[in-house]
Amino acid sequence: MYVERSGQHGTFTTDYIDRRAAVRLPTDPAVHDGLFEQTKAYYKADDLFAASDKLDISEETFRRIVKQLERFDLSKTGDDIKGLAFEKFLGTTFRGELGQFFTPRPVVEFMVDLLNPREGERICDPASGSGGFLIRAFEHVRAQIVADIQRQKDEERARIEALGLPEEEEERQIEEAFSRLNRELLPSDDNNKPIDTRVGRLAWQCIYGTDAEPRAARTAKMNMIMHGDGHGGIHYHDGLLDINGIFGGRFDVVLTNPPFGSNVGRDQKVGGSDETRVPKDEAYLARCREGGYGPAWEESHQSLLAAAAARKPILDLFEIGKGKKNRPTELIFVERCLNLLKPGGRMGIVLPDGNLNNPSLAWLRRWAEGKAKLLAVVSLPEATFRSSNATVKASLVFLRKFTEAEAAQWEAAWAQAHAELDARFDQQRDEAHAAYAPRIVCGDDAEVQRLLDELAALGIQRTLLRWQHGEAPAYPRQARPTVQNKPAWTGEAAKEHKEHKKAAAELKKQADAALAAVRKRSDALFSELKAKYKAIDEAHTAALWARVRERFDYPVFVAAPKSVGITSTGETGEGVANDLPELLKAYREFAHWLAQGAQPEATPNFPGPSTA
């Protein structure tokens, strides 16, 4: 690729290697080492290679490789062909070492095509692995641009041909128009630098990704280069932290397959490792500021500098992680992806099925429900990731982050639900309190009650004060918990009647002794009341959610394809069953139905094996 892009086409031949070797002094580096050093220098700004990297290959082996490849002209080979060749190489070479970084190509294509990124939209994968999602997204948008360029070419040809020009002039004008339009398809300039073309803006301003594994990040960069570029936004960095142009509220589309089976713990600090570093060098700062990221980037960078200085746990950067000992990595990535999106942005994420149906994770589903609309859930067959030695059953989850209007509607739905329901459940709490308070105060004991009545006549009462609303947790949304204090003495005997005061003191002493004897019974009744309150709180919460969902109801596309284009041994291709193309058609029909108002009488019929 370096030879192709630098224009030094004669250097990747056995003839060149033999000629250079013939005049090389014993102290000179091997020819392939010299070429590799030039390649490292060419891609220096991209962090593709470390300064100490060397080619672990003999001169004889390198010559044999060149002999096999020199007949191919990569400058005339389509990016899709080069990309497929590199993916094939990856699949056979790194599958054992980097298997966890591969999402099967048919699944990647389906997810990208469903979210349908468009020209001008920014796309991010915060756990990019070998770059599959970003490559497919790049290809998807580039295909749109190519189709539009072809449309413009056809229009230009028709316009020029209609002028009735002499044949040579007509050909010249058509060639000139085509040349101008074709320039829009260039991803970089001759020096591998950004270029202001339609594909150039896609490659350098719209594709971003990170991975915390350095080899995976490097592989993703190379993969992007082989597919036609877009590598400039790929970084070796923890995907949970902002870096370069990757920060909150910036992206239209986020696609990712986050790590499963690990945890983010409190020992993982901002700036505590190479992948969580916060760059401070002038070159990085200048590059970000020249990139036009604006005040949002400045705010993000300053916040991370402060977090690194304070050795802040990464968990504390997230609403669902703050104050926790640990959280499963994939859960934190759900919040990370939503944070990265603009209002109205779309995301697709691969998640273990337990995130969707485990009762212990109902809080996560409710939390996400208040942040985004669920577009679709596609349950994958168990064999989908088996070739990567993954045994977790997974699903594809597609969400659209609330727009500002939808967020306001969500809050309004909650306010309305509280207005309609709170009084009813408060009455239930009052009724429970009224039923239990007298019994708790006296421990269901007649003698204690007699003593308490006598004390009340003297102005001293033992009462169970009315319950209060406590503070609800930060998430998920729920009714404020009922808080009930234990019985307490209130009031005092009249000071002007010394005999009353003395009698009251004696009665209180007797009452305290009697209460001690019935404390177990009183405590048991108090526990019963708290259980009643808890049941009322849970019913209140359930009623609130039901009412909100009535007001914020919408259809969700759900499917369970039997085959997704990959076998348990990792085989893909035309001979492998794949229900995803038909499923994509069904989703588009569903999305069209939604856009038309989702009228029940027009509900689409989804026949076939792909639907659940």
Side-chain angles (χ1 to χ4, degrees):
M1 289 302 297
Y2 158 67
V3 168
E4 173 195 333
R5 293 193 173 197
S6 64
Q8 301 182 50
H9 301 291
T11 59
F12 197 75
T13 64
T14 52
D15 179 62
Y16 174 81
I17 292 172
D18 292 343
R19 284 188 289 105
R20 286 295 303 272
V23 297
R24 181 168 63 89
L25 296 175
T27 55
D28 290 340
V31 178
H32 65 271
D33 287 334
L35 287 172
F36 185 54
E37 289 302 315
Q38 293 176 32
T39 302
K40 285 162 60 177
Y42 186 76
Y43 288 107
K44 183 177 180 180
D46 300 309
D47 295 325
L48 268 178
F49 308 102
S52 59
D53 281 351
K54 301 290 183 183
L55 284 181
D56 186 15
I57 190 172
S58 68
E59 292 184 65
E60 293 77 13
T61 300
F62 184 77
R63 189 183 186 283
R64 285 200 297 272
I65 293 172
V66 171
K67 186 175 182 180
Q68 291 293 322
L69 297 179
E70 65 181 341
R71 54 184 167 163
F72 301 108
D73 186 347
L74 292 183
S75 65
K76 296 179 181 177
T77 304
D79 293 323
D80 54 343
I81 301 299
K82 287 181 286 194
L84 285 170
F86 187 67
E87 286 187 9
K88 188 69 175 177
F89 168 72
L90 283 178
T92 55
T93 305
F94 295 142
R95 181 71 69 182
E97 300 172 58
L98 295 178
Q100 70 270 34
F101 301 108
F102 286 82
T103 306
R105 187 179 180 92
V107 174
V108 169
E109 291 176 350
F110 172 76
M111 292 180 71
V112 172
D113 291 349
L114 187 144
L115 290 181
N116 189 27
R118 296 178 286 274
E119 184 178 3
E121 291 189 323
R122 292 194 188 97
I123 304 154
C124 181
D125 181 350
S128 56
S130 58
F133 285 117
L134 298 176
I135 288 161
R136 177 57 187 164
F138 177 83
E139 292 174 334
H140 184 92
V141 178
R142 184 177 59 185
Q144 296 172 8
I145 296 172
V146 168
D148 187 59
I149 292 293
Q150 184 59 52
R151 178 190 60 78
Q152 292 184 56
K153 284 182 179 180
D154 294 341
E155 290 178 354
E156 280 293 276
R157 177 185 290 277
R159 182 186 65 80
I160 294 169
E161 288 178 345
L163 297 176
L165 300 170
E167 184 177 346
E168 288 188 5
E169 177 62 16
E170 181 180 277
E171 289 180 359
R172 186 192 68 77
Q173 289 198 22
I174 290 173
E175 184 177 343
E176 185 180 274
F178 281 18
S179 177
R180 171 174 50 80
L181 290 168
N182 284 336
R183 184 181 180 278
E184 294 295 331
L185 300 178
L186 294 176
S188 308
D189 66 15
D190 293 338
N191 297 313
N192 193 39
K193 300 299 181 186
I195 188 171
D196 188 24
T197 63
R198 291 174 70 177
V199 172
R201 290 188 290 275
L202 167 65
W204 293 92
Q205 299 175 22
C206 295
I207 302 292
Y208 292 85
T210 58
D211 202 279
E213 210 289 327
R215 194 176 183 191
R218 184 185 302 179
T219 301
K221 278 179 174 284
M222 195 66 241
N223 207 353
M224 292 294 295
I225 291 170
M226 294 297 289
H227 279 82
D229 234 311
H231 69 284
I234 311 293
H235 302 278
Y236 159 50
H237 204 258
D238 191 316
L240 297 175
L241 298 177
D242 295 349
I243 185 73
N244 195 29
I246 302 174
F247 51 88
R250 190 161 192 257
F251 294 93
D252 301 280
V253 175
V254 171
L255 287 146
T256 198
N257 181 1
F260 297 174
S262 59
N263 287 318
V264 181
R266 299 200 69 76
D267 58 327
Q268 293 167 261
K269 314 281 188 180
V270 179
S273 61
D274 191 34
E275 66 270 18
T276 64
R277 69 199 182 283
V278 183
K280 295 182 283 188
D281 58 282
E282 289 302 319
Y284 171 79
L285 299 178
R287 188 164 68 247
C288 290
R289 285 164 182 152
E290 289 168 6
Y293 300 149
W297 176 83
E298 293 283 357
E299 182 180 346
S300 162
H301 186 65
Q302 292 304 317
S303 175
L304 284 175
L305 286 174
R311 306 292 288 175
K312 189 172 188 176
I314 293 173
L315 274 175
D316 286 350
L317 301 178
F318 295 90
E319 183 180 0
I320 67 172
K322 191 173 295 183
K324 303 297 181 182
K325 290 184 179 179
N326 56 66
R327 282 287 196 205
T329 304
E330 68 268 19
L331 302 193
I332 299 297
F333 265 99
V334 172
E335 181 173 345
R336 173 60 169 167
C337 291
L338 285 170
N339 289 345
L340 288 171
L341 288 172
K342 299 175 180 177
R346 307 164 329 268
M347 69 176 270
I349 186 169
V350 183
L351 289 175
D353 278 1
N355 291 183
L356 307 178
N357 52 37
N358 192 327
S360 67
L361 289 175
W363 65 265
L364 173 72
R365 296 188 289 275
R366 283 186 168 179
W367 175 86
E369 191 174 344
K371 305 289 183 181
K373 280 194 169 183
L374 182 61
L375 300 178
V377 178
V378 177
S379 179
L380 297 173
E382 292 186 10
T384 304
F385 294 100
R386 194 169 293 161
S387 61
S388 295
N389 298 319
T391 57
V392 177
K393 178 82 167 58
S395 290
L396 311 179
V397 179
F398 300 90
L399 301 164
R400 182 169 59 76
K401 188 174 180 177
F402 283 166
T403 62
E404 291 182 5
E406 287 168 340
Q409 291 169 11
W410 177 257
E411 293 302 325
W414 273 96
Q416 185 65 26
H418 279 292
E420 294 173 356
L421 297 170
D422 285 1
R424 181 205 307 174
F425 287 94
D426 284 351
Q427 182 180 346
Q428 292 180 23
R429 294 179 180 94
D430 285 337
E431 290 170 354
H433 180 273
Y436 274 87
R439 300 175 64 196
I440 292 170
V441 164
C442 71
D444 264 353
D445 187 271
E447 176 59 19
V448 172
Q449 185 61 57
R450 183 189 66 78
L451 291 169
L452 293 178
D453 289 342
E454 290 185 26
L455 279 167
L458 296 174
I460 300 175
Q461 294 86 28
R462 181 169 175 80
T463 59
L464 186 71
L465 296 176
R466 187 175 183 265
W467 57 270
Q468 294 177 313
H469 282 301
E471 288 298 319
Y475 61 88
R477 295 289 279 267
Q478 58 184 267
R480 293 168 62 190
T482 308
V483 177
Q484 177 67 68
N485 292 321
K486 286 203 167 187
W489 292 103
T490 62
E492 58 182 2
K495 293 181 180 178
E496 60 271 19
H497 298 291
K498 290 184 179 181
E499 63 278 11
H500 287 183
K501 196 169 183 181
K502 185 176 180 181
E506 180 60 30
L507 279 171
K508 188 171 182 300
K509 185 177 178 181
Q510 294 177 33
D512 284 337
L515 285 168
V518 298
R519 181 166 294 130
K520 282 189 177 180
R521 177 57 180 163
S522 180
D523 288 347
L525 289 167
F526 188 77
S527 295
E528 284 184 27
L529 176 59
K530 288 176 67 176
K532 291 278 186 183
Y533 286 148
K534 184 178 179 182
I536 293 168
D537 291 346
E538 291 174 351
H540 191 177
T541 294
L544 287 169
W545 274 96
R547 188 63 56 87
V548 168
R549 285 167 173 162
E550 285 176 11
R551 296 181 176 277
F552 211 78
D553 191 25
Y554 55 89
V556 177
F557 185 86
V558 179
K562 296 177 182 177
S563 305
V564 294
I566 185 169
T567 67
S568 59
T569 58
E571 296 176 26
T572 60
E574 293 183 3
V576 179
N578 186 5
D579 294 337
L580 293 177
E582 287 301 314
L583 190 60
L584 181 62
K585 292 179 184 177
Y587 175 78
R588 287 175 175 164
E589 186 179 351
F590 172 83
H592 177 74
W593 171 68
L594 281 183
Q596 297 300 311
Q599 299 302 320
E601 63 274 11
T603 302
N605 180 30
F606 300 126
S610 294
T611 53

